[in-house]
Amino acid sequence: MAAAPRFGSALVTGASSGLGRAIALELSRRGARVHALARRAEALEELAREAASAGAIIARPCDVTDARALTDAVRASEADGPLDLVLAGAGVASSGLADLPVDGRAARVLAVNLTAAIRTLELATPAMLERGSGTLAAITSLAGLRGLPASAPYCASKAGLVRWLESRALDLARSGVRVVDVQPGFVRTAITDRNDFHMPFLLEPDDAARRTVDGLERGRRIVRYPRRLAWPMVCASAALPHFAWRALVGRA
């Protein structure tokens, strides 16, 4: 087993807001040189200015669903030096896509949360394999463990990513490259701000980012938090039959 990683350099997608932004800042505070990818150039430049006193953040504006642009951004980041950590953090929920036709919202959620996340990690894999070291990580969700009401595209995208990470961890088990699944509960972001239901144990982005990076640095394969929500969800996903789950989420 390889030693627990410490990150001198990292690439983070979805870094212009929410949890991705907070993780980029946390990594920078801990001394990493962070390549921050997101669509909004102005927000990335603001992020880089905020981190200037702590460490280096390089803004790389990029739509992760644009395969060519994403490839160029990853390659440019690698040209700056080997990446110790690549974290796919870009994510959307259908509730935030009101400007799209209804029949296009699920496709957008899957394109960002699943397809782009996989492409990001696949692009970074060859260089890590050549070195025999590195960490590939993605932000999934506890929502990927069971289906939830009014969240079909989101839950499907996260569940698909959970299984992809699990499979790739098996593929790369003896390579020296780690694969990490980060499964947060509710984090206060633009996505959760739209929710009209109770969100137990809601975390602030800075707290969630600290928990994420702590777990990554400790070499965990799955980083789940907060425990008060994570372990009931894990147990429910493994043990509760469908009729009991329906009753629990108010759909009996």
Side-chain angles (χ1 to χ4, degrees):
M1 179 67 70
R6 294 295 182 270
F7 308 114
S9 60
L11 180 149
V12 179
T13 69
S16 63
S17 63
L19 182 53
R21 186 182 197 279
I23 290 172
L25 280 172
E26 182 68 20
L27 287 165
S28 177
R29 293 187 189 107
R30 299 190 190 199
R33 182 174 175 85
V34 182
H35 300 267
L37 277 61
R39 287 187 302 164
R40 294 182 296 157
E42 290 184 3
L44 288 180
E45 293 296 343
E46 181 182 343
L47 170 66
R49 287 193 295 272
E50 183 174 341
S53 61
I57 288 186
I58 300 94
R60 297 198 183 279
C62 168
D63 182 344
V64 294
T65 64
D66 182 331
R68 176 61 63 83
L70 179 60
T71 300
D72 290 346
V74 172
R75 296 293 174 252
S77 301
E78 290 176 328
D80 189 61
L83 296 170
D84 299 319
L85 168 68
V86 172
L87 186 141
V92 295
S94 53
S95 60
L97 301 174
D99 55 326
L100 291 180
V102 172
D103 60 357
R105 294 174 194 172
R108 179 65 181 175
V109 171
L110 291 168
V112 175
N113 296 4
L114 181 58
T115 304
I118 291 172
R119 181 175 289 123
T120 300
L121 301 183
E122 289 285 76
L123 284 168
T125 299
M128 289 187 180
L129 285 175
E130 186 175 351
R131 297 196 316 270
S133 67
T135 297
L136 301 167
I139 304 296
T140 64
S141 173
L142 293 176
L145 301 180
R146 292 293 295 249
L148 296 171
S151 304
Y154 186 79
C155 289
S157 68
K158 296 303 186 179
L161 190 52
V162 166
R163 291 294 168 251
W164 186 88
L165 291 165
E166 183 177 36
S167 296
R168 290 303 273 152
L170 296 172
D171 296 337
L172 302 178
R174 295 178 178 85
S175 68
V177 178
R178 295 179 183 273
V179 179
V180 184
D181 180 357
V182 181
Q183 299 179 4
F186 294 107
V187 180
R188 192 185 305 279
T189 66
I191 291 177
T192 56
D193 283 347
R194 301 185 185 96
N195 293 342
D196 58 1
F197 53 84
H198 175 61
M199 294 175 285
F201 313 117
L202 180 68
L203 297 173
E204 295 300 324
D206 289 349
D207 186 6
R210 177 184 55 78
R211 294 172 189 240
T212 297
V213 180
D214 282 349
L216 291 168
E217 288 186 343
R218 289 169 184 163
R220 294 178 180 168
R221 204 203 73 72
I222 300 177
V223 181
R224 293 188 178 108
Y225 58 81
R227 290 183 181 179
R228 291 176 293 174
L229 180 61
W231 289 112
M233 282 292 293
V234 169
C235 293
S237 68
L240 277 188
H242 184 62
F243 75 87
W245 179 252
R246 284 173 59 92
L248 183 64
V249 297
R251 292 297 191 271

